[in-house]
Amino acid sequence: MAHVAHDYSETRRDVKKLRIGSMLGDGIGHEIVPATMRVVDAAVGADTSLSVDWIELPLGREAIDSHGTPIPDSTLEMLATLDSWILGPHDSASYPEPFRSQLTPGGVVRKKFDLFANIRPARAFPDVRAMSPEMDLVVVRENTEGFYADRNMFVGSGEFMPTPDVALAVGVFTRAACERIAREAFTLARGRRKHVTIVHKTNVLSMTTGLFRDVCRAVAEDFRDVTVDEEHIDALAAHLVRRGSDFDVIVAENMFGDILSDLAGELSGSLGMAPSLNTSETKAMAQAAHGSAPDIAGKNRANPTALFLSSAMLLDWLADHSGDSRLHHAAKRIRHAVEATLDAGVATADLGGRASTSEFAETVVARTLRV
């Protein structure tokens, strides 16, 4: 599929605006998404030839109240005209029926735009207490099939109940999906420490995760400069706890990747620090790995770091797809500002600090402007 060029994909110096979709979602999304928009504005605006045109779109519980659905058709139609979006966390478990039992808003977006790759880094920061202080890895998670029943069917869900006492789920693995996520992982590893770990459970799930492993092995033949090893999912979970710094890029099917990335995020400091990027060949969506945290929503206590770092990943993706190095510089400004803020001892409660969401965000904005 050819990349649809928007304003940012030009390299002319008269280009001014990035058009980025913004969806608040639920819970703490109403605090961390606006904070992220301010940080991105500061990082991009540091180059006077760039700015952001935010396209704010309804999604989540408020969209149910205003549009009768958590993911309006108008939102999907507008997203199709953009190449990148920021999505806040959503809390579909709290939605009234029938929406609670339907595909989540994020799932609808992922399926609609075939966001097949979920890139989830886990890196420890020097001034953040971590169980694995040397960890610096990336989980590359296949995002469309595997054992997640809400993603692996063209229509409906892969879960069903033939009787009230029996529940079944279908796991789907296709060669095409396994191959494209493997290529994402190996390509990413080439820009890092050139080491890929393939995750599977072939001693029990020999056909499904066996296909995943075998396709990843075949793709590895095209990346002879990258070291390859493999682990069973249960063993790898233990190894991450004991020696998380040994891993570079981990490639996994959907559910395994979700579990491992949450574990790695916590080991590297906090899930509040865990960024995530969902991508296809032509679209990208920044979305923090954590949830909507309804217990602290509206209290100005949420850690916005994960979404800040997710937005930096989004800017890097835009830079790679447009050839515009200014966006790489903007991404670096965000990362450097976050690290400098943490180095200065400014942190939210989950990291043992006293800063509010807004105080942390304003400090990051100020430091972004200094980079």
Side-chain angles (χ1 to χ4, degrees):
M1 182 183 295
H3 180 62
V4 179
H6 290 296
D7 286 347
Y8 66 78
S9 64
E10 303 293 335
T11 56
R12 303 186 312 271
R13 296 304 297 180
D14 60 344
V15 173
K16 296 295 183 184
K17 287 190 180 293
L18 309 173
R19 299 180 70 236
I20 301 178
S22 170
M23 296 164 282
L24 299 183
D26 303 310
I28 61 172
H30 289 255
E31 298 156 76
I32 65 173
V33 174
T36 300
M37 294 164 66
R38 292 196 299 274
V39 168
V40 172
D41 279 338
V44 171
D47 185 321
T48 56
S49 65
L50 290 173
S51 65
V52 179
D53 183 10
W54 293 103
I55 313 299
E56 297 188 37
L57 302 168
L59 178 143
R61 181 55 193 255
E62 287 191 351
I64 295 176
D65 297 335
S66 62
H67 291 72
T69 174
I71 180 71
D73 288 342
S74 58
T75 293
L76 294 173
E77 290 166 4
M78 180 57 71
L79 291 177
T81 70
L82 308 169
D83 280 342
S84 65
W85 328 301
I86 291 177
L87 175 64
H90 45 72
D91 182 19
S92 56
S94 70
Y95 297 167
E97 291 291 5
F99 308 113
R100 184 186 310 140
S101 300
Q102 295 175 354
L103 189 60
T104 66
V108 172
V109 174
R110 283 190 298 267
K111 183 171 287 190
K112 170 74 173 178
F113 296 103
D114 194 27
L115 304 179
F116 69 88
N118 188 198
I119 313 301
R120 292 188 163 191
R123 180 173 75 89
F125 285 78
D127 290 276
V128 174
R129 184 172 57 190
M131 294 181 66
S132 185
E134 302 300 320
M135 179 176 281
D136 181 6
L137 61 81
V138 180
V139 175
V140 177
R141 170 190 174 195
E142 204 289 317
N143 214 20
T144 65
E145 47 183 47
F147 293 119
Y148 267 10
D150 68 333
R151 304 184 194 181
N152 59 23
M153 293 292 170
F154 177 68
V155 176
S157 170
E159 280 192 316
F160 54 96
M161 295 182 71
T163 76
D165 301 314
V166 177
L168 302 175
V170 177
V172 176
F173 290 71
T174 63
R175 186 174 299 276
C178 295
E179 180 173 350
R180 67 181 180 176
I181 198 63
R183 292 197 177 278
E184 289 286 324
F186 279 93
T187 300
L188 179 62
R190 269 186 170 163
R192 289 176 50 87
R193 302 194 303 276
K194 297 186 178 181
H195 179 195
V196 171
T197 301
I198 304 167
V199 184
H200 59 82
K201 187 64 178 171
T202 53
N203 58 332
V204 176
L205 301 164
S206 59
M207 286 191 246
T208 50
T209 70
L211 178 63
F212 184 87
R213 178 202 61 188
D214 293 346
V215 171
C216 287
R217 285 176 173 175
V219 170
E221 294 298 313
D222 295 333
F223 295 83
R224 296 297 185 92
D225 55 323
V226 177
T227 300
V228 185
D229 57 21
E230 56 188 68
E231 296 279 0
H232 287 153
I233 174 64
D234 47 347
L236 181 55
H239 294 329
L240 284 178
V241 174
R242 182 159 45 90
R243 52 183 184 87
S245 61
D246 289 354
F247 297 94
D248 180 21
V249 174
I250 296 170
V251 60
E253 68 84 36
N254 209 335
M255 184 166 67
F256 292 172
D258 192 12
I259 294 168
L260 290 174
S261 58
D262 278 8
L263 173 61
E266 192 64 27
L267 290 172
S268 64
S270 165
L271 269 181
M273 306 282 291
S276 166
L277 189 70
N278 299 272
T279 74
S280 70
E281 295 293 337
T282 59
K283 306 285 186 184
M285 177 172 73
Q287 179 185 21
H290 59 71
S292 63
D295 56 321
I296 61 170
K299 297 180 180 179
N300 202 21
R301 292 175 51 194
N303 184 352
T305 300
L307 200 56
F308 290 176
L309 297 176
S310 300
S311 70
M313 294 175 69
L314 183 66
L315 292 174
D316 276 330
W317 185 91
L318 289 170
D320 289 339
H321 284 70
S322 67
D324 192 337
S325 63
R326 292 174 294 176
L327 301 178
H328 279 311
H329 295 319
K332 289 178 182 177
R333 290 185 192 106
I334 293 175
R335 285 191 290 268
H336 289 166
V338 167
E339 188 158 353
T341 298
L342 295 169
D343 287 347
V346 180
T348 48
D350 62 314
L351 302 179
R354 297 183 178 181
S356 66
T357 306
S358 55
E359 289 168 344
F360 186 86
E362 292 310 315
T363 304
V364 172
V365 166
R367 292 183 180 276
T368 299
L369 298 173
R370 298 177 199 165
V371 174

